[in-house]
């Protein structure tokens, strides 16, 4: 009943948001991105990449959906893998002495106003899971906020249909605060890009959470003002790839993946491949990007045993938790030489690393604590059941004696 009530509130709010905010002209619609971000050099969004995690069953479904898209007049599909027959194929196999990454597929959008194509690459991060990168290329690099706004206007009705779209009850905040409206439209732009994908290619967490995303920005000049933002971003962390290439990460929102801003000053450029990094850093980078999502998943799986009278353990919840621990602790047949891997360190804080091994240790401790709790709960359940059975056996034996 509460979910239904919130659904109607959401629909009502979006209708009001459409009439009072989206369809009313604001001055910031006419601004360039450098004006929106208070930069002093021409700024363009070249592409956006969205990331999801998949197991072998989900890869089989993903391949099947790609083949189904070939029948659509709205897409042109190139895929590097054959689809399953009656049984699932083993796209993901144990990799005990190596790891790899590669091209998965290419989707050309034939009739979309903004998106030109989506290049899909992937990399295994453990023996059971892989990361899929959906790199979204635009028909033209985005320089004006109106390009983002027009995309939101064209697709905003989809926001009412997805779990991960945020909405607010007090519409008046948007009428008097341009910064609030700008941030909201940027969030909805991200949400709608993901929605474009999950309508045709749902995978992993794509229908449940706002996934990790990387925006690639091209900036004409390396000015003092822009470098100050990169060096000390508010509530964010910055990393240096080289003197013309930086990453700024943001992960302060609950229940969504990390947001990465890739800033490139080079005239000739090549966006960094997160799937290549995943093949090297594996779970240390995965948890950096999916930390809030994994935290929410753990809460969903385990809190029902911690905060309620429920004491019978669901086998699949327990197996899920054991697998999470095992994937972090995976060993290899050989010691893989990782000296060639460049540590991506903080720009101003040299102790800061993109792949955080300390975070992995803390997460592993949390998994261990919960596994220990569930094991103890199982032991109590076993003793209770054994006690009940013994009492029933005693009652049955007494009844048998007096018959």
């Amino acid at each position: 009943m509460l979910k239904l009530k919130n659904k109607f509130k959401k629909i009502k709010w979006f209708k009001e948001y459409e009439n009072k905010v989206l369809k009313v002209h604001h001055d910031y619609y006419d601004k360039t991105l450098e004006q929106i971000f208070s930069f002093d050099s021409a700024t363009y969004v070249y592409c956006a990449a969205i990331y999801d995690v998949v197991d072998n069953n989900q890869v089989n479904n993903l391949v099947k959906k790609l083949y189904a898209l070939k029948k659509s007049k709205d897409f042109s599909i190139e895929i590097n893998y054959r689809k399953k027959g009656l049984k699932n194929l083993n796209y993901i196999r144990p990799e005990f002495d190596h790891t790899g990454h590669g091209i998965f597929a290419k989707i050309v959008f034939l009739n979309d106003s903004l998106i030109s194509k989506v290049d899909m690459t992937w990399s295994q991060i453990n023996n059971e899971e892989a990361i899929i990168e959906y790199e979204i290329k635009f028909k033209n690099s985005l320089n004006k906020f109106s390009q983002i706004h027009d995309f939101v206007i064209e697709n905003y009705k989809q926001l009412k249909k997805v779990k991960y779209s945020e909405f607010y009850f007090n519409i008046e905040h948007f009428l008097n605060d341009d910064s609030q409206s700008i941030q909201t439209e940027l969030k909805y732009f991200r949400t709608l890009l993901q929605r474009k994908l999950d309508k045709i290619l749902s995978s992993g967490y794509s229908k449940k959470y706002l996934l990790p995303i990387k925006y690639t920005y091209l900036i004409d000049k390396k000015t003092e003002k822009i470098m100050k933002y990169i060096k000390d971003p508010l509530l964010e962390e910055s990393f240096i790839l080289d003197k013309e290439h930086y990453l700024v990460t943001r992960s302060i929102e609950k229940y969504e993946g990390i947001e990465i801003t890739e800033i490139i000053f080079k005239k000739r450029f090549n966006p960094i491949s997160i799937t290549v990094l995943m093949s090297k850093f594996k779970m240390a980078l995965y948890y950096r990007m999916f930390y809030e999502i994994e935290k929410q998943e753990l809460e969903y799986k385990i809190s029902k045993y911690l905060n309620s009278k429920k004491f019978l353990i669901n086998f699949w919840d327990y197996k899920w938790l054991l697998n999470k621990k095992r994937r972090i602790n995976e060993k290899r047949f050989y010691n893989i030489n990782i000296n060639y891997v460049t540590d991506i360190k903080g720009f101003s804080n040299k102790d800061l690393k993109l792949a955080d091994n300390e975070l992995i240790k803390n997460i592993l401790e949390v998994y261990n604590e919960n596994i220990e709790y569930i094991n103890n709960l199982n032991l109590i359940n076993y003793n209770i059941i054994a006690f009940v059975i013994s009492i029933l056996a005693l009652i049955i034996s007494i009844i048998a004696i007096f018959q």
Side-chain angles (χ1 to χ4, degrees):
M1 188 67 183
L2 182 61
K3 287 184 178 180
L4 188 62
K5 183 178 180 181
N6 284 336
K7 182 178 180 180
F8 281 113
K9 282 184 177 180
K10 189 174 185 179
I11 293 172
K12 182 179 178 182
W13 188 90
F14 273 114
K15 189 67 177 177
E16 192 176 5
Y17 179 68
E18 173 194 12
N19 294 330
K20 291 187 177 181
V21 180
L22 281 180
K23 291 190 175 180
V24 176
H25 188 271
H26 296 270
D27 290 340
Y28 65 83
Y29 294 165
D30 303 320
K31 291 184 178 181
T32 60
L33 292 186
E34 56 264 30
Q35 291 173 320
I36 292 290
F37 298 137
S38 299
F39 289 165
D40 51 357
S41 181
T43 302
Y44 303 84
V45 180
Y46 172 71
C47 64
I50 293 174
Y51 302 89
D52 203 359
V53 59
V54 288
D55 59 24
N56 193 64
N57 289 335
Q58 290 162 340
V59 175
N60 274 274
N61 291 333
L62 195 55
V63 171
K64 183 178 178 181
K65 289 176 180 177
L66 282 165
Y67 275 95
L69 280 182
K70 284 190 170 186
K71 301 175 183 178
S72 173
K73 296 180 180 180
D74 293 325
F75 308 99
S76 174
I77 307 294
E78 296 177 19
I79 180 167
N80 291 352
Y81 299 91
R82 65 186 180 91
K83 65 178 177 179
K84 68 176 183 178
L86 295 176
K87 294 183 179 180
N88 278 355
L89 299 178
N90 291 325
Y91 298 106
I92 298 178
R93 296 184 176 91
E95 295 183 340
F96 293 114
D97 57 0
H98 71 286
T99 189
H101 58 274
I103 298 171
F104 194 90
K106 178 187 289 186
I107 309 169
V108 178
F109 283 63
L110 301 176
N111 300 309
D112 195 89
S113 61
L114 183 76
I115 299 173
S116 171
K117 64 179 180 177
V118 175
D119 290 329
M120 296 173 60
T121 58
W122 70 326
S123 172
Q124 279 192 228
I125 54 173
N126 54 56
N127 288 331
E128 300 172 50
E129 296 174 312
I131 288 293
I132 295 279
E133 177 185 73
Y134 302 94
E135 187 178 64
I136 303 169
K137 300 286 183 60
F138 304 119
K139 290 188 173 178
N140 297 291
S141 295
L142 309 182
N143 175 249
K144 298 178 180 178
F145 191 85
S146 60
Q147 294 169 286
I148 292 172
H149 175 71
D150 290 345
F151 181 76
V152 173
I153 281 286
E154 183 181 343
N155 298 281
Y156 89 96
K157 291 183 180 179
Q158 295 294 323
L159 294 168
K160 293 179 279 190
K161 302 177 182 180
V162 295
K163 293 181 179 179
Y164 46 82
S165 66
E166 294 182 354
F167 67 103
Y168 307 83
F169 295 114
N170 191 349
I171 205 76
E172 301 303 320
H173 290 168
F174 295 88
L175 302 179
N176 304 311
D177 186 354
D178 280 356
S179 63
Q180 177 74 45
S181 296
I182 290 170
Q183 290 304 314
T184 301
E185 286 204 48
L186 290 173
K187 174 63 72 70
Y188 287 161
F189 179 69
R190 171 183 177 179
T191 303
L192 290 169
L193 286 177
Q194 181 174 324
R195 176 61 176 165
K196 283 277 186 178
L197 295 177
D198 71 44
K199 280 181 69 178
I200 57 175
L201 294 174
S202 59
S203 62
Y205 291 135
S206 67
K207 288 191 178 298
K208 192 174 180 182
Y209 298 104
L210 197 57
L211 295 172
I213 191 169
K214 174 172 72 72
Y215 293 107
T216 298
Y217 286 85
L218 307 181
I219 299 181
D220 279 356
K221 297 177 182 179
K222 186 190 289 187
T223 67
E224 184 176 339
K225 189 172 187 179
I226 292 172
M227 292 310 298
K228 183 179 179 182
Y229 160 72
I230 295 174
K231 185 175 181 179
D232 190 22
L234 180 65
L235 300 176
E236 299 172 316
E237 297 172 334
S238 60
F239 301 86
I240 181 169
L241 301 179
D242 57 51
K243 292 182 179 180
E244 305 294 331
H245 200 167
Y246 303 85
L247 296 179
V248 179
T249 65
R250 181 176 185 269
S251 182
I252 60 173
E253 302 290 343
K254 291 184 178 180
Y255 315 143
E256 66 183 50
I258 197 171
E259 182 177 320
I260 301 174
T261 300
E262 179 181 29
I263 296 175
I264 302 176
F265 293 103
K266 299 175 183 176
K267 299 261 184 196
R268 300 178 64 183
F269 64 93
N270 187 23
I272 191 171
S273 172
I274 296 295
T275 50
V276 172
L277 291 181
M278 281 285 183
S279 71
K280 298 173 181 179
F281 293 131
K282 297 182 179 297
M283 301 304 287
L285 182 55
Y286 170 79
Y287 275 100
R288 178 88 181 186
M289 295 179 67
F290 286 79
Y291 175 75
E292 292 294 342
I293 291 175
E294 288 293 341
K295 190 169 67 174
Q296 175 67 3
E297 281 292 288
L298 179 64
E299 182 179 339
Y300 171 73
K301 299 284 187 182
I302 303 302
S303 63
K304 52 193 167 187
Y305 307 114
L306 300 176
N307 303 322
S308 70
K309 296 179 181 179
K310 188 180 179 79
F311 65 92
L312 290 177
I313 306 298
N314 184 302
F315 168 78
W316 299 109
D317 290 340
Y318 189 34
K319 183 181 179 182
W320 176 89
L321 189 55
L322 291 175
N323 281 334
K324 287 294 179 182
K325 176 184 175 181
R326 183 182 56 76
R327 288 163 187 159
I328 292 178
N329 283 331
E330 273 185 1
K331 303 297 181 184
R332 303 282 162 176
F333 283 142
Y334 305 104
N335 292 322
I336 300 174
N337 181 13
I338 60 171
N339 292 331
Y340 65 92
V341 177
T342 302
D343 285 335
I344 300 177
K345 296 184 178 180
F347 177 50
S348 54
N349 179 2
K350 301 301 181 183
D351 295 329
L352 189 65
K353 292 185 179 181
L354 185 63
D356 191 345
N357 289 316
E358 192 63 32
L359 177 64
I360 283 287
K361 292 179 183 178
N362 293 336
I363 289 171
L364 187 58
E365 287 180 8
V366 173
Y367 287 154
N368 284 331
E369 286 178 0
N370 282 281
I371 288 171
E372 182 181 2
Y373 172 79
I374 287 180
N375 284 337
N376 290 334
L377 198 59
N378 274 331
L379 183 61
I380 293 172
N381 293 342
Y382 174 79
N383 290 335
I384 291 173
I385 292 171
F387 176 74
V388 171
I389 290 173
S390 65
I391 293 295
L392 289 175
L394 178 61
I395 293 172
I396 291 171
S397 64
I398 291 174
I399 292 173
I401 290 172
F402 288 97
Q403 281 184 344

